[in-house]
């Protein structure tokens, strides 16, 4: 974990960008290092293979426990992007002619929201480019979908509803249980991208009733490049990657033993720490929110005030430019983000902030702070003390 507090003030680094990625938990790192000796191919019959296979299945068990999922319902993937793409391509296969064009009748329509992560948005836009109808639900000023709009959009043509459990930029949490009930009543398949929600808020796939749920290891202190897809028993799934018969033929490729073991370890730890995480991380987030609100005039907090991830704080600073704030903070050792890591470097204002009604100019002056294990109250106070002169200087420059 980042060791922020032993650093001298001028070299202090406060990593507060945990929605972009998390460091490995020390226990995860130790387990992975120990497992580097386990080199067998998990599909081999011999003892080395059986040992690797046992580790993979232990990890699956831990992930299924974290999600409240039945045994054998989680498939390992290379991460959230692959899991989400697999669901969309499965639906495409279900609703396509052999030439790839949408079937003219039957269920061939998709419903997503305007604030999905790019890997869902672009999967849907790709299907739209092939001729499939996609409805992009709007959200209110807090980032919540409007249930009436969903009801109106659902029909006997709806094939898939895909709505994220929690937003990566503003942290708003959707009511997936209610949304799923409506989607299922309309006869559609229901998927949720829960990459940001898993390990941060309680989630149980049986209780939610979803058909598919996406998660990723590197958001829960596990390794990058490993993730999972929950598939309810009976829900269709076609492989995105064809090859050997790993994962019951649902995801080919030699098992990424090390990544999977790390994911399993991270999932087991997250399950045991969920309550503590909610309590301790939200207290630190609230300290940051209240401290910034008191120290800097005229700021706007984005996201839902209650239905929000415990770790996320998105703040708009009118009159200051986001990239300039980031760079100034970086010089002082504070590492945050202007939006999702996938969108940073883009000059486009955040599609999430635009969708909740933040204007383009203000969207450009918004910062996402996302907290996690390793952040201390001293780190938060350091940010609260460091940011006001930065904002004051940038505002003065912009008014010149
Ligand atoms: C909501 C959400 N979905 C999907 C992803 C993609 O996950 P991965 O990086 O594992 O491909 C991310 C990562 O930022 C995310 O925040």
């Amino acid at each position: 974990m980042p060791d922020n507090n032993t650093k001298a003030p001028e070299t202090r680094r406060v990593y507060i960008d945990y929605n972009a990625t998390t460091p490995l938990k020390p226990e995860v790192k130790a387990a992975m290092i120990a497992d580097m000796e386990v080199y067998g191919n998990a599909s081999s019959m011999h003892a080395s293979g059986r040992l690797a296979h046992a580790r993979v299945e232990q990890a699956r068990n831990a992930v299924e426990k974290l999600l409240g999922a039945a045994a054998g319902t989680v498939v390992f993937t290379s991460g959230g992007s692959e899991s989400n793409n697999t669901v969309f391509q499965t639906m495409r296969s279900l609703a396509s002619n052999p030439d790839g064009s949408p079937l003219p009748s039957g269920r061939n329509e998709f419903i997503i929201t305007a604030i999905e992560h790019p890997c869902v948005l672009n999967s849907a836009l790709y299907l739209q480019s092939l001729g499939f109808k996609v409805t992009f639900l709007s959200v209110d000023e807090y980032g919540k979908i409007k249930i009436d709009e969903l009801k109106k959009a659902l029909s006997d043509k709806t094939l898939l509803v895909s709505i994220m459990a929690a937003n990566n930029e503003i942290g708003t949490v959707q009511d997936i249980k209610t949304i799923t009930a409506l989607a299922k009543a309309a006869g559609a398949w229901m998927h949720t991208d829960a990459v940001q929600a898993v390990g941060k808020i309680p989630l149980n796939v049986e209780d939610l009733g979803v058909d598919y749920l996406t998660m990723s290891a590197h958001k829960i202190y596990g390794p990058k490049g490993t993730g999972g897809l929950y598939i309810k028993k009976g829900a269709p799934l076609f492989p995105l990657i064809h090859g050997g018969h790993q994962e019951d033929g649902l995801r080919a490729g030699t098992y990424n033993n090390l990544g999977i073991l790390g994911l399993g370890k991270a999932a087991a730890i997250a399950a045991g720490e969920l309550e503590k995480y909610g309590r301790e991380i939200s207290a630190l987030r609230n300290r940051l929110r209240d401290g910034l609100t008191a120290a800097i005039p005229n700021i706007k907090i984005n996201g839902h005030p209650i239905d929000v991830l415990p770790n996320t704080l998105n703040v708009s600073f009118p009159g200051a430019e986001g990239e300039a704030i980031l760079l100034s903070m970086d010089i002082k050792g504070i590492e945050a983000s202007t939006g999702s890591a996938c969108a940073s470097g883009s000059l486009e204002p955040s599609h999430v902030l635009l969708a909740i009604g933040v204007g383009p100019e203000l969207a450009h002056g918004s910062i996402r702070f996302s907290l996690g294990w390793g952040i201390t109250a001293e780190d938060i106070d350091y940010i609260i003390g460091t940011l006001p002169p930065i904002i004051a200087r940038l505002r003065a420059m912009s008014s010149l």
Side-chain angles (χ1 to χ4, degrees), residues 256-270:
N256 170 11
N257 292 359
L258 210 50
I260 292 171
L261 171 108
L263 167 56
K265 186 78 185 164
I269 296 171

Side-chain angles (χ1 to χ4, degrees), residues 19 79-81 84 117 119 164 166 168 193 195-196 216 218-219 342:
N19 285 5
S81 300
N84 288 339
H117 185 271
C119 63
M164 68 198 324
N168 43 310
D193 173 358
V195 163
Q196 293 291 346
S216 178
H218 75 104
K219 309 290 184 179
C342 306

Side-chain angles (χ1 to χ4, degrees), residues 23-36:
L24 290 176
K25 277 243 180 196
E27 303 92 313
V28 175
K29 189 173 165 185
M32 289 177 72
I33 289 171
D35 207 54
M36 281 188 172

Side-chain angles (χ1 to χ4, degrees), residues 238-263:
F238 299 128
L240 192 64
I241 298 175
H242 299 267
H245 46 255
Q246 292 90 353
E247 299 293 75
D248 282 336
L250 295 177
R251 204 282 186 178
T254 300
Y255 283 96
N256 170 11
N257 292 359
L258 210 50
I260 292 171
L261 171 108
L263 167 56

